[in-house]
Amino acid sequence: MLLVCWDIDRTLIDAAGVDKQAWLQACSDISGRRITQLPVGTSGRTDPQILLDILTSAGILTPDAAAFLPAVLEREAVILASHRDQLARKGKALPGAREALAALADEPGVLQTVVTGNVRPNAELKLAAFDLDRHLDLDLGGYGSDSPDRATLIGLARQRTSTAHRLPIQSIKIVVVGDSPRDIDAARAARARSVGVATGRSSIDELAAAGGDAVLEDLTDTDSVYAAILGRRLQRG
Ligand SMILES: [Mg+2]
């Protein structure tokens, strides 16, 4: 069994910053301070890591920020849900994402889910907003609401797949598809293969240098996506 673990932001979708506004508003609402400063380099980090960074950068002491964090993570889901229309209007599915998911759905022995820094409700909302959820089994995924550590999330996806499909854990091979060197680092730590897609902040060379087992400019050529993820070409006709 091959489990394909897709990253969401800048791999499958572009949220056009609507999610970042939800981070700031959630941190402001729960801390009672007006917080406007986003951290740099959020790509590939999980929401608990990012939100803790936002709180401490606003001058909140780490123990207090950590105490706020569970409520902030809940609050960001409420806020993003209230901005769903704005997300759908401003954001987009990245080119080829829908076709790649649909094509892999027909491949025997392949399951698809997400490993993402988003809390689960926001992951579901983002995918549904762009009609990308139909070929993903989201119950198998790993989310920022599960752990701040991305490699742990990959292990959780493996565990959840083993339980749901009654498969020995060592029989589940994983390919992580993501736009950030952090996706690739996490895959290596979780003993998974990785495919880097240069639709985020990192170039194809940076993703290759990070150790991506395969790298793609984007998802537009389904044959190339197949070759990268499965290590072989799409059978035609
Ligand atoms: Mg990403």
Side-chain angles (χ1 to χ4, degrees):
M1 181 63 66
L2 182 73
L3 180 66
V4 183
C5 294
W6 294 91
D7 169 56
I8 296 179
D9 292 295
R10 295 187 177 275
T11 299
L12 293 175
I13 75 155
D14 178 359
V18 176
D19 48 353
K20 295 188 170 156
Q21 292 311 311
W23 293 338
L24 293 177
Q25 195 183 329
C27 288
S28 299
D29 288 354
I30 300 301
S31 71
R33 301 185 186 205
R34 188 167 170 273
I35 299 174
T36 56
Q37 189 64 50
L38 282 169
V40 289
T42 57
S43 182
R45 299 175 73 201
T46 59
D47 282 17
Q49 291 173 330
I50 295 164
L51 294 168
L52 197 62
D53 193 352
I54 292 173
L55 292 165
T56 55
S57 298
I60 297 167
L61 296 175
T62 301
D64 295 335
F68 283 142
L69 191 57
V72 173
L73 289 165
E74 281 189 27
R75 183 77 189 141
E76 69 152 335
V78 172
I79 293 166
L80 194 68
S82 73
H83 290 72
R84 189 189 194 282
D85 291 349
Q86 191 187 12
L87 175 68
R89 195 171 62 247
K90 288 188 175 175
K92 61 173 194 241
L94 289 176
R98 201 171 287 124
E99 292 78 3
L101 289 167
L104 280 162
D106 292 334
E107 186 69 28
V110 172
L111 294 167
Q112 299 186 86
T113 189
V114 291
V115 163
T116 172
N118 286 280
V119 295
R120 180 161 177 175
N122 287 2
E124 291 178 352
L125 186 93
K126 286 178 173 182
L127 294 164
F130 306 107
D131 192 27
L132 292 172
D133 51 349
R134 67 178 66 183
H135 301 301
L136 295 163
D137 185 343
L138 297 180
D139 287 338
L140 305 181
Y143 302 88
S145 37
D146 294 318
S147 166
D149 177 61
R150 220 177 168 98
T152 300
L153 301 183
I154 299 170
L156 262 177
R158 184 183 267 130
Q159 184 63 57
R160 285 171 175 161
T161 303
S162 167
T163 304
H165 290 269
R166 298 169 184 265
L167 291 166
I169 199 133
Q170 61 274 20
S171 74
I172 300 164
K173 306 285 177 244
I174 294 190
V175 181
V176 171
V177 188
D179 68 292
S180 163
R182 291 188 174 107
D183 295 297
I184 289 166
D185 291 346
R188 189 186 306 106
R191 296 200 179 86
R193 281 186 66 239
S194 61
V195 175
V197 191
T199 42
R201 305 287 180 210
S202 301
S203 68
I204 231 172
D205 289 344
E206 288 166 337
L207 294 169
D213 294 298
V215 286
L216 299 167
E217 206 63 70
D218 55 37
L219 300 176
T220 52
D221 180 38
T222 303
D223 279 2
S224 301
V225 176
Y226 248 73
I229 292 177
L230 304 179
R232 59 187 168 83
R233 292 280 164 182
L234 181 61
Q235 298 292 311
R236 291 206 187 275

